[in-house]
Amino acid sequence: MRVTKQVTKGSLSGVFNAKSIAIVGASPRPGKPGNQIVRNAKAMDFDGLIYPVNPTQSTIEGLKCYKNILDIPGRLDLVVLIVGADECVRIAQDIARRWDEKGDVAGIVVVSAGFGEGGSADGLAKEKAMLEPLQARGIRVIGPNCLGIADQHSGVNTIFDLPPYLKSEVSVVSQSGAFAASFLMWAKDLELFGLSKFLTVGNMADVDMDEVVEFFGEDKNTKVIAMYLEGIRQGRRFVEVAKKVSQTKPIVAFKSGRTDFGSGAVRSHTGAVAGNDKIYDGAFRQAGIIRTVAVAEFYYTICALGKQPLPRGKRICVLTAIGGPGTICIDALLATGVVEMASLSDHAKNHLKETLARTAVVDEPQGYVDMTASVTEELHEEVIKTILADEGVDGLIYLITPPAFFSNEKLVEHFLNAYNSFPKEKRKPLLSVFTFGSHVAELRRLFERGGIPTLEFPDVAASVMANMVWYSEWRKSRLNYGL
């Protein structure tokens, strides 16, 4: 087969659903990235074939090793390159030759750096030389200078930093491999969210942010899209794509390079142009993208959207057993300008007063309930049911420092009994705040497994709830105007 004209770009589906993966630069030495990629690929629930490629080895991690990709028999869908930049350019020619002869290879992941990210003429020339034979054949290139991809549903994993992960419906796209991997590792032990797809775009020499967002928008295994970006090359198209996707799935973004100095750091990292931050701010709002300004807010907004429904309105109740953090939460909620305090009905207020101890504070101020330290595990069930059933409540933030004499299992049992007593279509968002952080790790894991997000800080919980309210209102406004 010979290329006589420009062919259509392949779909990213061919990459994420690869049935065979070659790892060029695979290493037999533990601790080397080329070894860890093989180990992580093998550890996944992947029913395809993995081919290590290294001219000096016969086997790596128990798998037959090939001298080059031209020797690999059968169909080859995905190639991972973790060799020097000059070698990548040469192997791109081999991949093109293979495509001409066999018509396979849907895409390549270029982990290697040394291309256009530094802005040098030499690096840019290598990037161009590597891309030309591949793009002419419609072979997709992810990177260079990236971590790669993972799909918890298909079992594809090319990332040396990512062992098998809890499977769910959050997909992550990032221009920084380190930032994205940090997010995943931060959330892993407490099971704060489950992953669907993961992709780091690196220099975006071929596959760009807008294409990934569009692909995730059409992906049946993606419910929430998390995005870290430093710059966008096709701004108009990106906004059009994001606006369409946001109508059905939330996109949560963290954009760096907000200052002149930050922009300089962005250029040296991936070669991207950070641009005017105010323009990004306006474009994100227009496209319905939830823009976060703090890392913790970004992380926890994604976690919450991955497990909880959107609020139907903006009236939020704060339920606490700890006065100080409860007050901090109210201040932070109202400071967003997005949220209103809940308006509890007389029936709900009277019932809460009858249920709780006499020292409890109910609806003073409006939408605030302090159960005080006299609350028990059992009382949680009736209190949470009463608040969530009230028509004047659209969402609930619950705060506590669990007393040592509380039983984790009993608290979770009564909490989930209350939450799950409502049918799914009638559930309201509920965020829990355990200010003891990882000191109550097991309790947090039990809540997370029950679908209740757990946070550490009251002000962050307020920002997360406000983000959920803002996005819900944006979606409703689009529907109201038939957009």
Side-chain angles (χ1 to χ4, degrees), residues 114-388:
F115 294 94
E117 66 275 10
S120 71
D122 180 57
L124 289 166
K126 286 176 185 171
E127 194 166 292
K128 184 169 182 287
M130 179 180 68
L131 285 177
E132 278 182 346
L134 302 173
Q135 289 186 317
R137 290 161 176 81
I139 299 170
R140 307 313 309 272
V141 179
I142 296 168
N145 185 29
C146 72
L147 269 187
I149 68 166
D151 188 328
Q152 301 303 304
H153 295 272
S154 73
V156 170
N157 186 2
T158 74
I159 299 172
F160 57 77
D161 262 351
L162 183 64
Y165 206 85
L166 184 66
K167 185 191 298 183
S168 190
E169 297 174 308
V170 174
S171 288
V172 178
V173 56
S174 175
Q175 276 180 276
S176 166
F179 184 76
S182 299
F183 172 42
L184 265 57
M185 293 304 106
W186 165 83
K188 195 171 193 298
D189 285 350
L190 290 176
E191 303 176 19
L192 301 183
F193 81 97
L195 183 66
S196 178
K197 291 178 170 58
F198 179 95
L199 187 150
T200 60
V201 291
N203 294 3
M204 297 192 295
D206 176 33
V207 174
D208 209 336
M209 273 288 182
D210 53 85
E211 184 177 358
V212 179
V213 170
E214 187 171 43
F215 177 71
F216 286 170
E218 294 168 354
D219 176 41
K220 65 181 173 58
N221 294 322
T222 297
K223 175 185 168 189
V224 179
I225 299 171
M227 176 172 62
Y228 167 82
L229 72 163
E230 298 181 342
I232 297 169
R233 290 181 183 153
Q234 301 182 70
R236 187 178 298 277
R237 173 170 155 70
F238 175 82
V239 171
E240 287 172 0
V241 167
K243 192 186 295 182
K244 183 179 175 186
V245 172
S246 292
Q247 292 182 42
T248 55
K249 300 179 183 181
I251 302 172
V252 186
F254 190 100
K255 163 77 173 64
S256 64
R258 300 171 69 190
T259 63
D260 289 344
F261 279 94
S263 297
V266 161
R267 262 193 303 280
S268 65
H269 178 218
T270 57
V273 178
N276 186 312
D277 195 66
K278 288 182 180 175
I279 293 175
Y280 274 99
D281 218 33
F284 283 7
R285 278 200 302 274
Q286 184 187 351
I289 295 172
I290 302 168
R291 183 174 190 181
T292 56
V293 296
V295 174
E297 178 195 2
F298 176 67
Y299 286 2
Y300 279 119
T301 299
I302 296 160
C303 296
L305 287 167
K307 293 188 174 180
Q308 287 285 294
L310 290 172
R312 297 180 187 85
K314 55 177 71 172
R315 300 162 302 175
I316 305 303
C317 180
V318 173
L319 172 67
T320 186
I322 42 179
T327 305
I328 293 169
C329 189
I330 289 177
D331 282 344
L333 273 172
L334 296 178
T336 65
V338 174
V339 170
E340 296 173 1
M341 294 305 294
S343 177
L344 289 166
S345 66
D346 289 340
H347 170 76
K349 286 187 279 191
N350 291 335
H351 188 59
L352 289 172
K353 287 175 182 173
E354 291 167 5
T355 303
L356 290 165
R358 294 180 66 181
T359 52
V361 177
V362 176
D363 208 41
E364 295 178 19
Q366 178 186 318
Y368 177 72
V369 178
D370 186 349
M371 300 181 287
T372 71
S374 58
V375 71
T376 64
E377 299 98 314
E378 291 83 357
L379 278 179
H380 277 79
E381 186 166 335
E382 190 61 26
V383 169
I384 289 167
K385 265 187 193 176
T386 302
I387 292 174
L388 289 178

Side-chain angles (χ1 to χ4, degrees), residues 9 29 68 72 120 146-147 159 177 222 265 267 363 428 436 438 480 483:
K9 284 182 177 180
R29 295 173 58 189
N68 61 68
I72 295 172
S120 71
C146 72
L147 269 187
I159 299 172
T222 297
R267 262 193 303 280
D363 208 41
K428 299 172 182 177
F436 282 174
S438 59
N480 290 342
L483 298 172

Side-chain angles (χ1 to χ4, degrees), residues 39-57:
R39 284 171 177 251
N40 286 345
K42 277 186 67 180
M44 298 288 287
D45 184 18
F46 178 60
D47 60 3
L49 298 168
I50 301 167
Y51 302 111
V53 178
N54 185 323
T56 67
Q57 303 296 318

